[in-house]
């Protein structure tokens, strides 16, 4: 007899290995083993009684595995299918099917255990191998049984309907849990759900069966083939309790029944389970259709913080079971175990998976690396969770490899402990426990950060919370509870009390489901406490309760606020400062998620970071899904507008930075919209030619005018745009649906406007104004650069040249953009007669003031920040007049498009005195800052006649000195002789 070398083993294991080696050698030929194979077999003997027993009973299997090299090579799914398919070819009945499946499973299991214990395969390969093995057994057994059932009862068909002929049907098998996630362990059962597409009946059989009956019988046969314990053991223990209605429900459901069940009765734990669902057998195409049907049940379009609530409840149930059964040594269910790592990943999948398709994956180790970017989890936390999960799953495999038993309990006997420690590569049991405790502590800490238990407060705040709850639940409170609002210091207690009771008695509250009422009661006391602390408490309460009304039927938002007290405080603070902010959130509650991370809320990204973030978000969405891309753009715009408003309200960003940020946001979006529109057009019609044989790349630009061009966007600003191309009009696109270039670029412009203008569930991106294009509304939607230049030279009005001062290329061809800029400078820099120019500017200014400014009577009490005398437009016209009048001599006046930097250039060039330039700059910023505040309070641009009087008088004086003094006397008479 040969003797294995066991010096490296603990003394307690050496005798055990020698004894088992001798027993095995009596049945198997071990003399031909080389040194490496001998060492591996020793490792197997220490780690798996099951594998050694299988080799003892089936020496031929051991010899075949060695000779074929299968013990030392990775298997693909095709390898499994080829081997089992070959064995099933000669199977004639179910009696023969069962042992073939079981022996195939035994051979593959000992092979997988060998590779896992010897670390020829890492943990992910082992779980993948086990999952591929299960997939193969399920699918090929199902194929064989389906054919057999069709021979007996006929082939199941759907009923024919108008426009849809009858089609043959197959069973769809969904793998759930670890099987669905491709994470099966060494002795796992498999959780399955059976479904079939449509109702119907069988054809061409000895008897006719309804599809429901046919697939129920087929499902039962599949379960028997996999689960029945025979002399050869079993294939996989099969659990069907995750199906609709559980063990009391039908074994098989149609797609329609599945959809109805999950829509009407699906529970939170079923959403959790369905994350990992995967088609493992049957019709894969129809299975994919089923998963698309169920996707809205699993992944909500909004941020769904109710997941925390349900996962916390599930974890507490597990904890009670752990305590009751004494499972503290369970590496799966115990504190810091595998289940807690899974909960962390799946909490974020449920919460954000609807909005971030990257999170709609099944395998946990694919999800964890996404969490730093998608939810802000620290990289170190992900590393620690990944290391812990790998260690715990390896330990689970080592525990189960011993006897092929479904257990995650640490061994209690000394020998078992020594065997586990050795299999895990540890120096001894104490070393193993030290590593285990380290990993479990890390998991417990991170689990606590993510799914923390609900906070309890027994102090003064808790007493106040009880007071608000009692008031909310009181039936006939004397004076409607007014005394409570007085006691809490509301600035207008009668008004606040009315807001509170209006919500309490509203139909929306009366119609709430019990779970919604619980969530409202969880957030309302803290909300009332926070609102009572702000200066305008009654007004703030009215604003916030409008938001609460808006989300009564989507109570997951209430959970978000209850789970994030910091976000609730920010909500109250910002709604107190801005009616616009409150109204925006009420219209789009999905934006509440932006309040959670205060670091990003008050620190908006740079221009380049904005562009990178948007591109990264859109990479997650298929290019062909235009609707989802449009929704993503709308959310991105709304979220960042909300962030800049928060920074604006709190003073974290000055006025000029606010406008910069809003303009950068629009630029980033326009770049993407142009790319989308170009792709859609070229996919349909082909890439147009710039000249014969030279394709466009894309030789198209979007030019921003007005506030967009001047980098001065505000909240809700529309976009003044002009489209320019540089391709020959008499050429045609090369696609199957060829069109003329003129038509192509017009439709391209229309597509851009459509993407920007269209109202969807997420609102509208931007309202677009194209009236500044050549010839205005009567002109072509898109001009060639040559036509644009000719129009500006020969036909454009002075006011159009004024508009060109603020024109800037926003998106498109860099080369064409440079040529456009040259045309712009050529037009602006033309020598002009100062008097003629002043006359035109003054006449246009008076026309605007007459039509858009305050009437004489209104002007006695109010001042329109933009249009009235001494306001924003006076400064803008003064700047534009100076740029047109002086750029021929001072080219630096054409360099920038924003008023502040043009004023800087005017000062440097001596066009205006430094003191006067400073006055205009400060006045301009003051007017715009007040305009921003008016917008945030949802008020118009009209303020009190006494506001900013000094600035208005100074601007009026400088308007007279810089522009009116250059105009003709007859124009001055018409202008009211300012």
């Amino acid at each position: 007899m040969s003797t294995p070398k066991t010096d490296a083993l603990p003394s307690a294991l050496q005798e055990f290995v020698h004894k088992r080696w001798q027993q095995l050698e009596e049945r198997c030929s071990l003399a031909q083993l080389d040194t490496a194979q001998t060492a591996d077999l020793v490792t197997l003997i220490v780690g798996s009684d099951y594998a050694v027993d299988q080799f003892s009973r089936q020496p031929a299997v051991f010899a075949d595995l060695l000779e074929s090299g299968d013990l030392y090579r990775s298997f693909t799914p095709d390898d499994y299918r080829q081997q089992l398919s070959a064995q099933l070819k000669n199977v004639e009945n179910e009696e023969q099917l069962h042992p073939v499946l079981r022996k195939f499973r035994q051979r593959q299991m000992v092979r997988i255990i060998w590779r896992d214990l010897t670390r020829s395969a890492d943990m992910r390969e082992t779980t993948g191998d086990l999952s591929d093995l299960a997939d193969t057994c399920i699918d090929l057994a199902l194929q064989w049984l389906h054919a057999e059932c069709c021979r007996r009862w006929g082939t199941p068909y759907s009923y024919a309907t108008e426009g849809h002929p009858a089609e043959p049907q197959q069973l769809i098998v969904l793998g759930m849990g670890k099987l669905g996630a491709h994470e099966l362990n060494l002795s796992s059962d498999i959780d399955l759900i059976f479904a079939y597409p449509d109702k119907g009946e069988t054809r061409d059989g000895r008897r006719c069966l309804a599809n429901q009956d046919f697939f129920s019988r087929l499902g039962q046969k599949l379960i028997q083939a996999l689960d029945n314990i025979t002399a050869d053991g079993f294939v996989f223990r099969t659990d069907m309790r995750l199906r609709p209605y559980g063990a009391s429900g039908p074994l098989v459901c149609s797609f329609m029944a599945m959809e109805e069940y999950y829509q009407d009765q699906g529970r939170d734990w079923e959403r959790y389970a369905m994350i990992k669902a995967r088609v493992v057998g049957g019709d894969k195409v129809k299975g994919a259709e089923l998963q698309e049907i169920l996707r809205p049940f699993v992944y909500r379009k909004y941020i769904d913080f109710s997941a925390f609530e349900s996962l916390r409840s599930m974890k507490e149930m597990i904890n009670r079971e752990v305590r009751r059964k004494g499972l503290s040594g369970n590496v799966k269910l115990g504190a810091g175990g595998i289940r807690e790592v899974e909960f962390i990943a799946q909490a974020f999948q449920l919460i954000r998976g609807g909005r971030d398709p990257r999170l709609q994956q099944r395998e946990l180790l694919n999800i964890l690396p996404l969490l730093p970017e998608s939810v802000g989890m620290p990289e170190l936390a992900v590393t620690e969770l990944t290391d812990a999960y790998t260690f715990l799953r390896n330990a689970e495999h080592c525990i189960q490899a011993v006897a092929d038993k479904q257990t995650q309990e640490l061994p209690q006997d000394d020998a078992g402990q020594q065997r586990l420690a050795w299999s895990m590569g540890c120096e001894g049991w104490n070393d193993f426990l030290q590593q285990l405790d380290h990993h479990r502590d890390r998991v417990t800490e991170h689990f606590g950060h993510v799914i923390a238990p609900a906070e309890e407060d027994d102090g003064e705040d808790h007493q106040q919370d009880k007071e608000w709850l009692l008031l909310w639940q009181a039936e006939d409170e004397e004076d409607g509870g007014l005394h409570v609002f007085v006691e809490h210091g509301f600035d207008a207690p009668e008004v606040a009390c009315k807001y509170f009771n209006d919500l309490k008695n509203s139909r929306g509250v009366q119609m709430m489901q019990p779970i919604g009422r619980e969530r409202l009661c969880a957030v309302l006391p803290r909300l009332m406490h926070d609102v009572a602390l702000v200066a305008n408490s009654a007004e703030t309460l009215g604003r916030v309760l409008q938001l609460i009304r808006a989300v009564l039927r989507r109570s997951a938002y209430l959970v978000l606020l209850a789970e994030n007290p910091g976000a609730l405080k920010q909500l109250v603070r910002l709604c107190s400062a801005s009616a616009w902010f409150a109204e925006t959130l009420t219209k789009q509650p999905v934006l509440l998620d932006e309040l959670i991370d205060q670091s990003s809320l008050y620190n908006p990204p740079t221009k380049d970071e904005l562009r990178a973030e948007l591109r990264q978000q859109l990479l997650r969405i298929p290019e062909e899904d235009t609707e989802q891309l449009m929704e993503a753009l709308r959310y991105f715009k709304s979220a960042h507008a909300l962030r800049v408003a928060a920074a604006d309200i709190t003073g974290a960003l000055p006025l000029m930075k606010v406008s910069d940020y809003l303009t950068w946001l629009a630029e980033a979006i326009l770049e993407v919209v142009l790319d989308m529109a170009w792709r859609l057009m070229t996919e349909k019609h082909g890439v147009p030619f710039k000249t014969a044989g030279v394709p466009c790349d894309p030789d198209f630009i979007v030019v921003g005018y007005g506030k967009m061009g001047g980098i001065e966007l505000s909240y809700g600003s529309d976009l003044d745009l002009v489209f320019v191309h540089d391709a020959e009009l008499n050429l045609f696109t090369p696609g199957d649906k060829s069109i003329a270039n003129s038509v192509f670029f017009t439709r391209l412009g229309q597509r851009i406007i459509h993407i920007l203008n269209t109202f969807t569930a997420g609102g509208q991106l931007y309202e677009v104004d194209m009236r500044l294009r050549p010839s205005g509304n009567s002109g072509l939607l898109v001009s060639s650069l040559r036509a644009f230049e000719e129009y500006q030279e020969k036909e454009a009005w002075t006011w159009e040249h004024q508009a060109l001062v603020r024109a800037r290329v926003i998106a498109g061809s860099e080369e064409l953009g440079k040529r456009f800029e040259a045309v712009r400078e050529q037009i602006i820099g033309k020598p002009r007669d100062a008097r003629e120019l002043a006359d035109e500017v003054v006449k246009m200014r008076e026309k605007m003031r007459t039509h858009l400014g305050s009437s004489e009577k209104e002007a006695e009490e109010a001042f329109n920040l933009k249009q009235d005398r001494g306001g924003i437009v006076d400064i803008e016209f003064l700047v534009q007049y100076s740029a047109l009048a002086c750029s021929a001599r001072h080219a630096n006046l054409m360099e920038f498009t924003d008023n502040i930097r043009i004023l800087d250039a005017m000062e440097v060039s001596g066009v205006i005195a430094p003191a006067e330039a400073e006055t205009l700059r400060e006045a301009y910023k003051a007017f715009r800052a007040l305009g921003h505040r008016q917008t945030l309070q949802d008020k118009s641009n009209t303020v009190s006649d006494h506001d900013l009087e000094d600035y208005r008088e100074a601007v009026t004086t400088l308007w007279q000195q810089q522009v009116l003094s250059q105009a003709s006397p007859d124009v001055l008479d018409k202008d009211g002789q300012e």
Side-chain angles (χ1 to χ4, degrees):
M1 287 189 180
S2 61
T3 303
K5 189 174 182 180
T6 60
D7 296 348
L9 287 171
S11 57
L13 294 180
Q14 291 181 17
E15 183 180 349
F16 169 78
V17 169
H18 283 295
K19 181 178 179 180
R20 293 290 278 161
W21 182 279
Q22 291 170 4
Q23 293 171 350
L24 185 59
E25 196 170 33
E26 292 173 1
R27 301 296 310 278
C28 303
S29 176
L30 305 182
Q32 79 276 22
L33 298 180
D34 60 29
T35 303
Q37 291 170 337
T38 299
D40 286 345
L41 183 56
V42 168
T43 299
L44 185 79
I45 290 173
V46 172
S48 179
D49 294 340
Y50 167 79
V52 172
D53 289 343
Q54 289 296 323
F55 287 157
S56 296
R57 284 196 289 267
Q58 303 179 70
V61 170
F62 180 54
D64 178 60
L65 284 170
L66 282 172
E67 184 179 346
S68 66
D70 284 358
L71 287 175
Y72 292 97
R73 74 179 182 92
S74 298
F75 264 39
T76 66
D78 284 343
D79 291 328
Y80 288 110
R81 293 185 72 88
Q82 287 171 10
Q83 289 194 8
L84 182 56
S85 294
Q87 296 177 35
L88 290 176
K89 283 182 179 178
N90 299 321
V91 171
E92 297 179 355
N93 52 52
E94 287 183 65
E95 287 71 24
Q96 295 175 1
L97 174 68
H98 287 205
V100 167
L101 291 173
R102 282 152 181 76
K103 289 176 181 177
F104 176 74
R105 185 259 186 186
Q106 290 167 1
R107 182 183 192 278
Q108 298 304 333
M109 282 296 293
V110 293
R111 171 191 159 274
I112 292 170
I113 290 172
W114 176 292
R115 290 177 54 74
D116 183 70
L117 291 177
T118 62
R119 295 298 180 255
S120 299
D122 63 15
M123 184 271 290
R124 294 190 77 169
E125 183 177 338
T126 296
T127 57
D129 266 352
L130 290 160
S131 303
D132 291 339
L133 172 61
D135 287 1
T136 302
C137 292
I138 293 166
D139 193 39
L140 293 187
L142 177 61
Q143 287 183 24
W144 193 95
L145 290 166
H146 179 86
E148 177 68 15
C149 289
C150 287
R151 282 193 290 271
R152 294 180 63 182
W153 301 308
T155 302
Y157 275 79
S158 61
Y159 288 126
T161 59
E162 187 175 347
H164 294 86
E167 294 181 343
Q169 305 270 289
Q170 291 186 49
L171 187 69
I172 287 89
V173 181
L174 290 181
M176 310 294 285
K178 284 188 167 62
L179 173 60
H182 224 247
E183 297 169 340
L184 214 57
N185 59 44
L186 274 176
S187 190
S188 178
D189 59 3
I190 54 176
D191 296 289
L192 304 179
I193 293 178
F194 297 154
Y196 64 95
D198 298 300
K199 293 181 178 179
E201 58 189 19
T202 59
R203 299 181 181 180
D204 306 323
R206 293 197 295 269
R207 55 183 293 196
C208 178
L209 289 179
N211 283 355
Q212 177 76 37
D213 292 338
F214 177 93
F215 288 118
S216 293
R217 296 184 185 192
L218 174 57
Q220 288 168 349
K221 288 181 176 295
L222 178 60
I223 293 169
Q224 291 166 4
L226 297 172
D227 187 80
N228 281 7
I229 298 175
T230 70
D232 299 304
F234 59 92
V235 186
F236 287 98
R237 289 176 293 268
T238 304
D239 191 334
M240 301 297 299
R241 290 174 296 175
L242 290 181
R243 69 184 188 266
Y245 302 103
S248 63
L251 184 65
V252 187
C253 290
S254 69
F255 284 9
M256 182 180 296
M258 292 273 284
E259 183 177 16
E260 289 177 356
Y261 171 81
Y262 287 112
Q263 277 186 354
D264 298 340
Q265 301 186 49
R267 289 157 289 181
D268 286 332
W269 69 263
E270 288 174 300
R271 285 183 63 204
Y272 170 82
M274 199 59 73
I275 282 178
K276 295 188 175 185
R278 178 172 63 90
V279 180
V280 297
D283 190 332
K284 298 292 198 299
V285 175
K286 286 293 184 181
E289 290 180 17
L290 174 62
Q291 292 205 271
E292 281 303 310
I293 290 170
L294 300 181
R295 190 178 303 278
F297 165 69
V298 184
Y299 296 109
R300 308 288 162 79
K301 287 186 177 181
Y302 50 83
I303 300 295
D304 183 12
F305 271 83
S306 64
F308 280 147
E309 197 176 7
S310 57
L311 288 172
R312 188 182 290 130
S313 298
M314 289 170 64
K315 178 57 183 170
E316 183 51 40
M317 288 172 59
I318 292 170
N319 288 346
R320 286 198 297 269
E321 190 74 358
V322 167
R323 290 190 294 269
R324 187 174 67 83
K325 293 185 176 180
L327 301 178
S328 58
N330 190 298
V331 297
K332 177 181 179 181
L333 302 179
I338 294 168
R339 182 57 56 82
E340 287 190 0
V341 186
E342 293 174 336
F343 274 11
I344 290 170
Q346 288 167 317
F348 289 118
Q349 287 183 273
L350 288 174
I351 292 163
R352 298 179 184 272
R355 283 249 310 279
D356 189 345
R358 296 177 307 163
L359 295 177
Q360 296 181 16
Q361 300 185 57
R362 302 176 184 91
E363 194 171 350
L364 182 139
L365 290 179
N366 289 342
I367 294 298
L368 288 179
L370 301 175
L371 298 184
E373 182 187 338
S374 60
V375 303
M377 178 177 281
E379 293 278 0
L380 177 61
V382 170
T383 300
E384 291 180 343
L385 287 171
T386 302
D387 291 346
Y389 181 75
T390 303
F391 182 90
L392 292 166
R393 288 301 305 269
N394 278 329
E396 178 185 47
H397 288 161
C398 290
I399 292 169
Q400 294 178 343
V402 174
D404 190 25
K405 287 186 177 179
Q406 188 182 15
T407 176
Q408 289 88 14
E409 282 291 316
L410 296 174
Q412 299 300 308
D413 61 296
D414 183 64
Q417 292 172 351
Q418 291 298 325
R419 293 175 73 180
L420 176 57
W422 173 262
S423 296
M424 286 294 292
C426 299
E427 294 181 3
W429 183 243
N430 289 335
D431 180 35
F432 170 78
L433 285 182
Q434 188 174 358
Q435 293 188 46
L436 176 66
D437 290 344
H438 167 77
H439 288 302
R440 291 173 71 164
D441 287 346
R442 300 272 61 75
V443 173
T444 297
E445 179 182 342
H446 297 308
F447 182 81
H449 290 159
V450 175
I451 310 178
E455 295 181 6
E456 295 185 5
D457 186 353
D458 296 324
E460 183 179 342
D461 288 351
H462 180 66
Q463 186 59 39
Q464 292 179 2
D465 289 353
K466 289 174 61 177
E467 200 171 6
W468 287 117
L469 271 180
L470 287 172
L471 180 60
W472 179 257
Q473 294 164 351
E475 293 291 334
D476 296 305
E477 180 72 17
E478 185 181 353
D479 73 5
L482 177 60
H483 63 284
V484 179
F485 290 88
V486 173
E487 290 169 6
H488 285 277
F490 275 78
D491 62 330
E494 296 88 352
V495 175
C497 184
K498 184 177 186 306
Y499 286 143
F500 185 88
N501 286 316
D502 284 349
L503 175 68
K504 177 179 173 180
N505 299 319
S506 67
R507 178 172 175 79
V509 168
Q510 304 305 319
M511 299 295 291
M512 288 183 80
Q513 297 294 320
I515 184 65
R517 288 177 176 273
E518 289 178 17
R519 292 171 175 177
L520 179 57
C521 288
V523 76
L524 195 64
R526 174 56 55 183
L527 172 65
M528 297 302 298
H529 174 268
D530 290 345
V531 169
L533 299 177
V534 301
N536 58 336
S537 49
E539 185 177 39
T540 302
L541 183 63
R543 294 171 181 173
V544 176
L545 291 188
Q546 278 298 107
L547 169 62
I548 298 298
R549 280 178 183 267
V551 301
L552 288 177
R553 296 182 65 184
R554 292 171 287 177
S555 60
Y557 291 123
L558 299 175
V559 181
L560 183 154
L561 294 173
E563 292 282 353
N564 295 276
L568 183 59
K569 286 184 183 294
Q570 296 310 313
L571 172 68
V572 171
R573 176 189 184 190
L574 295 167
C575 287
S576 171
S578 170
W580 176 90
F581 197 94
E583 185 179 337
T584 299
L585 281 174
T586 299
K587 290 178 180 176
Q588 294 178 275
V590 67
L591 297 173
L592 281 167
D593 181 50
E594 299 301 321
L595 302 179
I596 295 171
D597 185 358
Q598 293 184 40
S599 62
S600 65
L601 183 63
Y602 297 116
N603 293 284
T606 64
K607 181 178 181 179
D608 288 341
E609 289 170 343
L610 258 178
R611 295 166 70 182
E613 181 184 337
L614 177 56
R615 295 281 178 180
Q616 190 65 39
Q617 288 191 17
L618 297 182
L619 283 176
R620 308 167 191 168
I621 303 170
E623 272 192 346
E624 64 275 8
D625 194 343
T626 303
E627 183 179 345
Q628 194 175 349
L629 288 170
M630 288 172 65
E631 282 301 322
L633 285 172
R634 279 152 178 75
Y635 180 83
F636 184 81
K637 186 242 181 171
S638 298
H640 281 280
L642 200 77
R643 287 191 201 178
V644 77
D648 188 3
I649 291 165
T650 57
L653 275 186
L655 164 70
M656 302 303 291
K657 292 295 183 183
V658 169
S659 291
D660 286 351
Y661 186 83
L662 291 171
T663 307
W664 296 342
L665 177 61
E667 286 181 23
I669 289 171
L670 278 168
E671 289 173 0
V672 169
V673 169
L674 173 56
D675 287 348
M676 284 176 59
W678 180 261
R679 180 179 53 78
L680 290 167
M681 288 297 297
T682 54
E683 283 177 355
K684 186 174 183 179
H685 301 292
V687 177
F689 291 109
K690 179 179 180 179
T691 57
V694 180
C696 290
D697 186 30
D699 294 291
F700 181 92
I701 54 174
V702 178
V703 182
Y705 277 67
K707 287 184 177 180
M708 183 67 191
I711 318 177
E712 295 169 353
L713 283 188
S714 182
Y715 309 102
S717 292
D718 59 5
L719 303 184
D720 293 296
L721 303 179
V722 169
F723 301 143
V724 177
H725 73 87
D726 189 34
E728 292 185 10
L729 296 178
N730 59 351
L731 297 177
F732 286 78
T733 62
D736 293 336
K737 298 181 178 179
S738 178
I739 55 175
N741 278 358
S742 57
V743 177
F744 178 92
F745 284 110
T746 297
R747 291 184 182 175
L748 176 64
Q750 290 169 338
R751 177 74 70 170
I752 291 170
I753 294 170
H754 170 77
I755 295 172
L756 293 169
N757 264 353
T758 301
F759 279 93
T760 70
Q764 183 187 41
L765 266 178
Y766 292 98
E767 188 172 338
V768 178
D769 191 336
M770 300 293 297
R771 290 175 295 176
L772 290 175
R773 69 184 187 269
S775 301
N777 286 338
S778 62
L780 295 173
L781 184 65
V782 186
S783 300
S784 68
L785 182 62
R786 186 182 306 131
F788 180 86
E789 181 179 2
E790 288 178 0
Y791 177 83
Q792 293 292 340
E793 287 280 7
K794 300 175 182 179
E795 301 179 47
W797 297 78
T798 298
W799 66 265
E800 291 177 283
H801 290 170
Q802 287 180 245
L804 200 58
V805 170
R806 287 159 65 82
R808 184 172 59 90
V809 177
I810 304 302
S813 166
E814 185 176 341
E815 189 274 333
L816 181 56
K818 291 177 181 177
R819 292 175 57 204
F820 173 87
E821 185 57 34
V823 170
R824 172 182 174 272
E825 292 182 2
Q826 173 188 323
I827 301 300
I828 296 174
K830 289 172 57 177
R832 289 176 171 82
D833 181 280
R835 174 158 289 190
E836 289 181 6
L837 177 63
D839 288 351
E840 293 298 323
V841 171
V842 169
K843 283 190 285 187
M844 177 53 69
R845 177 70 191 98
E846 182 56 27
K847 183 177 180 181
M848 289 180 65
R849 189 179 295 143
T850 301
H851 287 89
L852 302 173
S854 302
S855 65
E856 289 186 18
K857 185 175 181 181
E858 290 172 338
E860 293 176 2
E861 298 180 353
F863 169 60
N864 185 297
L865 287 167
K866 186 173 181 180
Q867 297 293 346
D868 281 353
R869 203 178 303 275
I872 289 174
V873 176
D874 278 0
I875 299 175
E876 292 176 340
F877 270 46
L878 186 156
V879 168
Q880 292 160 18
Y881 166 80
S882 300
L884 294 175
C886 305
S887 288
R889 303 188 305 278
H890 304 292
N892 61 334
L893 300 186
M894 297 183 286
E895 184 177 356
F896 298 109
T897 58
D898 59 289
N899 288 300
I900 296 296
R901 285 188 291 185
I902 298 175
L903 281 168
D904 292 344
M906 289 165 60
E907 179 184 345
V908 170
S909 303
V911 173
I912 192 170
E916 295 170 341
E918 182 64 13
T919 296
L920 289 173
R921 283 191 293 262
E922 292 305 312
Y924 190 68
K925 288 189 282 188
F927 290 147
R928 290 190 56 220
L930 182 53
H932 271 271
R933 290 197 295 274
Q934 290 291 104
T935 299
L936 289 173
Q937 289 299 340
D938 216 13
K939 296 178 181 178
S940 72
N941 268 330
T942 300
V943 297
S944 167
D945 183 50
H946 300 294
D947 287 333
L948 306 174
E949 282 185 289
D950 291 344
Y951 281 131
R952 290 160 51 194
E953 290 173 6
V955 170
T956 300
T957 299
L958 289 170
W959 167 257
Q960 292 169 341
Q961 292 173 359
Q962 296 291 321
V963 185
L964 288 180
S965 64
Q966 305 298 318
S968 304
D970 57 332
V971 172
L972 292 177
D973 289 340
K974 292 177 182 177
D975 189 48
Q977 297 192 18
E978 296 180 43

